[in-house]
């Protein structure tokens, strides 16, 4: 067995005195799409942010490519080629799409910029048409595409996506999920996907984890989880999506 | 037409309601302030006199003003709707394109136009000093989004640096200028460290305190700074070694001109013009460099910045340092122009004025700030004839401007990056 790309071991994280993560173990192997599903407030986004050290894990360890990153400053984590499209997208609203992408390329080689930009514009053609539009004027779905593209500009080894389907039209959500699959299959990009939309996420992912109240309660392949009665009852509620 | 008629009626009703409300507020506010007046009676007793006529006039003015505003412009910002077509007309676009060259030409020619009017020439220098300060503060407030209410501290550091270096070590202005800039930048970093984790209101309060601390130190450290008496006889700058005097080796004699005290003023004008333009040029260049982009991105979203690999600590410190440096340079210019400095020149009012210029100009717009500085300081002088009503008129003017353009005079942000050539969309074909 080779070592996982990202290994989270016994991580506990706090917001003030409230324990948001109560000892989480999670692996993301190279080339995988791993999804983490759970209800609101279960700790999904917290876990993703903990990888970036905000909040910092108070106990446990996070290793990336075999190196301990538990206490690495947030801005240096990006230099290790981990990128994220954070919760709430957090694009730069007054800057143009092009400038947003340029900010995403902060840790990347300047020579790569044009090729990388062309690549994300092929992935999401609508961005190519809006390069000079201000980020804040894009629709929610387009902003999400921009957030993912901005993350891709750093040529990441691991991409963290926090609820890319949240609050956007189902058509666009589908397009985004398709893009994630394409990135994974064609570019061998490893993706760690946090989602509330369990059905789509599990269909897309190789493996999945279920988090409840800061603890991992279930894990398995995407198909296993889709068929497990607990997941069906709690997150799919009999419906197909 | 129908919709017009339908909207007009409730408009009048709401306008009347708004105006009545405004009048009531005015009545409550001014009822005691204007309506009643205490004075000394014949037996040195306190007598209450009433001024209800004046009160009625003020309330009526408020009522009429509010009604007029609602009827003419509706409730939203004044710019909404009605003036848009006017702003986007062809004439307006031409004016906007010509604004920068016109302002530049005016600045270059100003000393020629006002050669015989010392007052206007001095005013030009003053305006340019504030343009430079505005552009410097713009780096901190407009680009990096760090609200700094103590900017005058760096202006003071620059002024005192030059004054003390020139008096104690007899260094020339041209050597002291960069030194003052570096010292101010150093103080900028010094302020930057404790406020790294602060933002918004908290940052504003700490910077405000910092500005006051510097002023109080300057006032109380008598042996070093001269205390409230300030520092006098600060050396005047020379024209690359040629002093502006009547001597044989003076500027006028060297160029075969008749001596005139205005030569020095004209020279000072061009010095501050050059310094301001350097500030502008550096800012525009920095915006295109990674550090400038990081400033702007940090203003938009600090957390996202960090996740993208930007060291926000360094980014903030460079913003403080750059802003402070330009204030320091402007400060040493101020010292050499005045020949005398004291802590009184570096009160919170100055910080507030420079900040007002930046906000009025539209936070981040270089042209907007230049126009705002011109309008503010020009306005101060223009309304001088109004004596005690000056600040009243000035305040009203600012309220009107903020109603008219809530985001500042020039609120559009110029992108810092364009594609080398507009690519024909191959993908679409």
């Amino acid at each position: 067995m080779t070592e996982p790309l990202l290994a989270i071991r016994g991580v506990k994280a706090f917001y003030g005195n409230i324990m948001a993560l109560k000892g989480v173990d999670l692996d993301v192997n190279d080339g995988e799409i791993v999804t983490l599903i759970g209800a609101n407030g279960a700790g999904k986004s917290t876990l993703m942010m903990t990888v970036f050290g905000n909040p910092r894990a108070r106990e446990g360890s996070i290793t990336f490519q075999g190196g301990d990153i538990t206490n690495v400053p947030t801005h240096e984590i990006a230099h290790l080629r981990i990128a994220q499209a954070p919760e709430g997208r957090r694009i730069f609203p007054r800057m143009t799409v092009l400038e947003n992408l340029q900010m995403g390329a902060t840790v990347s080689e300047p020579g790569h910029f044009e090729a990388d930009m062309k690549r994300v514009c092929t992935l999401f053609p609508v961005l190519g048409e809006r390069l000079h539009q201000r980020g804040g004027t894009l629709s929610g779905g387009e902003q999400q595409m921009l957030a993912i593209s901005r993350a891709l500009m750093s040529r990441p080894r691991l991409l963290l996506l926090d609820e890319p389907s949240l609050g956007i039209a189902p058509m666009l959500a589908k397009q985004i999920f398709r893009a994630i699959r394409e990135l994974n299959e064609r570019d061998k990009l490893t993706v760690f996907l946090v989602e509330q939309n369990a059905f789509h996420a599990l269909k897309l992912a190789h493996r999945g984890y279920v988090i409840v109240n800061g603890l991992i309660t279930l894990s398995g392949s995407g198909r296993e989880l889709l068929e497990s009665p607990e997941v069906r009852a709690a997150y799919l509620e009999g419906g197909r999506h | 037409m129908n919709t017009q008629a339908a909207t007009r009626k409730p408009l009048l009703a709401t306008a009347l309601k708004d105006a009545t409300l405004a009048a009531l507020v005015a009545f409550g506010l001014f009822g005691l302030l204007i309506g009643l007046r205490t004075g000394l009676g014949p037996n040195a007793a306190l007598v209450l006199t009433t001024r209800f006529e004046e009160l009625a006039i003020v309330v009526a003015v408020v009522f009429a003003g509010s009604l007029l505003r609602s009827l003419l412009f509706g409730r939203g910002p004044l710019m909404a709707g009605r003036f848009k077509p006017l702003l986007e007309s062809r004439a307006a676009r031409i004016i906007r394109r010509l604004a920068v060259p016109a302002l530049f030409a005016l600045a270059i020619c100003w000393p020629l136009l006002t050669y015989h009017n010392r007052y206007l020439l001095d005013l030009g220098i003053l305006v340019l000093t504030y343009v430079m300060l505005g552009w410097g503060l713009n780096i901190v407030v407009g680009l990096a989004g760090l609200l700094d209410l103590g900017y005058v501290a760096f202006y003071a550091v620059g002024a005192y640096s030059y004054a003390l270096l020139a008096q104690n070590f007899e260094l020339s202005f041209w050597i002291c200028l960069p030194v003052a800039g570096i010292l101010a930048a150093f103080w900028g970093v010094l302020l930057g460290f404790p406020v790294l984790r602060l933002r918004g209101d908290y940052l504003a309060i700490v910077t405000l305190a910092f500005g006051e601390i510097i002023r109080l130190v300057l006032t109380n450290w008598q042996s070093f700074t001269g205390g409230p008496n300030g520092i006098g006889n600060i050396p005047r700058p020379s024209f690359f070694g040629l002093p502006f005097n009547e001597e044989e080796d003076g500027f006028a004699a060297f160029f075969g001109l008749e001596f005139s005290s205005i030569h020095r003023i004209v020279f000072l004008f061009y010095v501050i013009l050059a310094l301001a333009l350097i500030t502008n040029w550096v800012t525009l260049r920095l915006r295109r460099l990674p550090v400038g982009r990081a400033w702007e991105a940090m203003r938009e979203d600090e957390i996202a910045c960090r996740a993208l690999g930007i060291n926000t600590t360094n980014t903030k410190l460079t913003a403080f340092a750059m802003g402070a440096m330009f204030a320091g340079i402007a400060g040493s210019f101020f010292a050499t122009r005045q020949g005398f400095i004291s802590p009184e020149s570096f009160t919170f009012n100055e910080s507030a004025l420079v900040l007002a210029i930046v906000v009025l100009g539209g936070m981040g717009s270089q042209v907007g700030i230049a126009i705002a500085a011109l309008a503010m300081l020009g306005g101060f002088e223009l309304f001088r004839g109004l004596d005690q009503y000056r600040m009243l008129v000035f305040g009203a003017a600012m309220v009107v401007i903020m109603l008219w353009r809530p985001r500042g005079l020039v609120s559009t942000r110029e992108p810092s990056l364009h594609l080398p050539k507009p690519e024909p969309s191959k993908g679409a074909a």
Side-chain angles (χ1 to χ4, degrees), chain B residues 137-187:
Chain B
L137 184 62
N138 182 43
I139 294 175
V140 185
V141 178
L143 296 183
L146 305 162
L147 186 51
D148 184 350
L149 291 181
Y151 193 59
V152 75
F154 309 120
Y155 190 42
V157 166
Y160 273 86
S161 301
Y162 170 61
L164 292 170
L165 285 172
Q167 285 209 326
N168 295 335
F169 303 105
E170 288 176 0
L171 293 174
S172 91
F173 175 69
W174 297 106
I175 292 172
C176 291
L177 200 65
V179 172
I182 290 165
L183 278 170
F186 169 76
W187 280 93

Side-chain angles (χ1 to χ4, degrees), chain B residues 7-354:
Chain B
T7 50
R8 181 130 310 166
K9 237 187 184 162
L11 182 69
L12 184 63
T14 50
L16 274 172
K17 207 178 97 192
D18 281 356
T20 313
L21 207 67
L24 275 176
V25 171
F27 181 75
L29 264 176
F30 297 121
L32 295 173
L33 281 176
I34 296 175
L36 299 176
R37 186 193 166 103
T38 52
L40 286 183
N43 307 323
L46 207 59
V47 186
L48 205 62
T49 48
T50 55
R51 296 194 294 177
F52 290 140
E53 275 152 51
E54 284 90 338
L55 178 64
I57 290 169
V58 168
V59 172
V61 165
V62 169
F63 181 81
S66 169
L67 195 66
L68 216 61
R69 168 177 139 65
S70 309
L71 287 182
L72 286 180
F73 308 112
R75 287 183 136 186
L78 292 191
M79 226 45 219
R82 188 161 301 239
F83 279 111
K84 263 238 160 95
L86 200 69
L87 262 184
E88 277 158 17
S89 69
R90 216 158 140 229
R93 231 175 301 152
I94 290 169
I95 290 174
R96 235 177 300 163
R97 194 166 321 146
L98 290 181
V100 175
L103 278 176
F104 185 70
L106 179 68
I108 294 279
C109 300
W110 187 251
L112 305 176
L113 299 172
T114 62
Y115 190 77
H116 299 293
N117 190 335
R118 171 89 194 259
Y119 166 70
L120 282 180
L121 194 51
D122 274 333
L123 183 61
I125 294 176
L126 191 71
V127 168
L128 281 175
T129 312
Y130 280 93
V131 168
M132 180 171 176
L133 284 171
W135 280 342
L137 184 62
N138 182 43
I139 294 175
V140 185
V141 178
L143 296 183
L146 305 162
L147 186 51
D148 184 350
L149 291 181
Y151 193 59
V152 75
F154 309 120
Y155 190 42
V157 166
Y160 273 86
S161 301
Y162 170 61
L164 292 170
L165 285 172
Q167 285 209 326
N168 295 335
F169 303 105
E170 288 176 0
L171 293 174
S172 91
F173 175 69
W174 297 106
I175 292 172
C176 291
L177 200 65
V179 172
I182 290 165
L183 278 170
F186 169 76
W187 280 93
V189 173
L190 218 61
L191 166 68
F193 266 112
V195 302
L196 276 175
R197 289 163 167 277
L198 304 178
R199 26 162 91 228
D201 329 7
Y202 307 101
L203 175 68
I205 289 172
V206 176
T207 52
L208 176 71
F210 181 78
E212 287 301 288
I213 289 171
I214 294 272
R215 192 177 60 82
L216 288 173
V217 167
L218 292 177
T219 311
N220 291 305
W221 195 355
Q222 199 117 16
S223 58
F224 184 58
T225 64
N229 300 329
I231 300 173
N233 285 329
I234 299 168
R236 305 295 191 157
S238 57
F239 185 83
F240 306 105
L242 296 174
F244 289 94
N245 56 20
E246 281 175 289
E247 312 286 313
E248 284 288 300
D249 57 351
F251 171 81
F254 186 85
F255 286 98
L257 299 166
E258 202 176 318
F259 173 77
S260 160
S261 63
I262 211 107
H263 287 157
R264 188 169 54 84
I265 313 294
V266 171
F267 175 64
L268 281 173
F269 181 91
Y270 282 117
V271 168
I272 187 65
L273 180 63
L275 290 175
L277 289 175
I278 289 170
T279 312
N280 181 39
W281 182 76
V282 170
T283 310
L284 291 179
R285 288 309 298 260
L286 282 173
R287 270 197 66 199
R288 285 169 176 73
L289 293 176
V291 61
R293 280 200 306 271
W295 287 339
E296 286 200 88
M298 193 173 65
R299 174 193 68 200
E300 311 269 291
D301 196 321
E302 202 178 319
I303 294 174
C305 267
R306 241 177 281 149
L308 291 174
I310 289 163
N311 184 341
T312 48
T313 304
N314 289 353
T315 309
K316 276 187 194 176
L317 290 180
T318 48
F320 272 120
M322 286 304 294
M325 184 184 85
F326 289 121
I329 292 173
S332 63
F333 172 82
F334 174 77
T336 192
R337 181 179 88 103
Q338 296 291 79
F340 166 78
I341 52 170
S342 77
E344 256 172 73
S345 311
F346 308 105
T347 55
F348 171 66
N349 277 350
E350 298 297 310
S351 292
L353 179 58
V354 179

Side-chain angles (χ1 to χ4, degrees), chain A residues 70-149:
Chain A
T70 320
N71 289 312
V72 173
T74 300
H75 66 266
E76 279 172 25
I77 287 174
H79 289 262
L80 301 170
R81 296 269 184 275
I82 306 179
Q84 67 163 338
E87 187 180 21
R89 308 188 269 264
R90 289 188 173 274
I91 57 152
F92 303 121
R94 284 182 68 188
M95 299 172 88
T96 62
V97 169
L98 188 60
E99 286 171 311
N100 268 277
L101 294 177
Q102 202 184 16
M103 291 309 299
T106 299
V107 301
S108 165
E109 299 230 349
H112 290 164
F113 181 70
E114 249 174 73
D116 289 348
M117 200 188 68
K118 288 217 173 91
R119 201 168 62 117
V120 297
C121 289
T122 332
L123 196 64
F124 298 117
V126 65
L127 293 182
E129 292 159 22
R130 316 235 150 141
L131 282 178
H132 292 295
Q133 209 169 311
R134 285 190 296 123
T137 63
L138 300 180
S139 77
E142 288 162 356
Q143 289 191 11
Q144 186 62 60
M145 292 176 189
L146 178 56
I148 295 173
S149 302

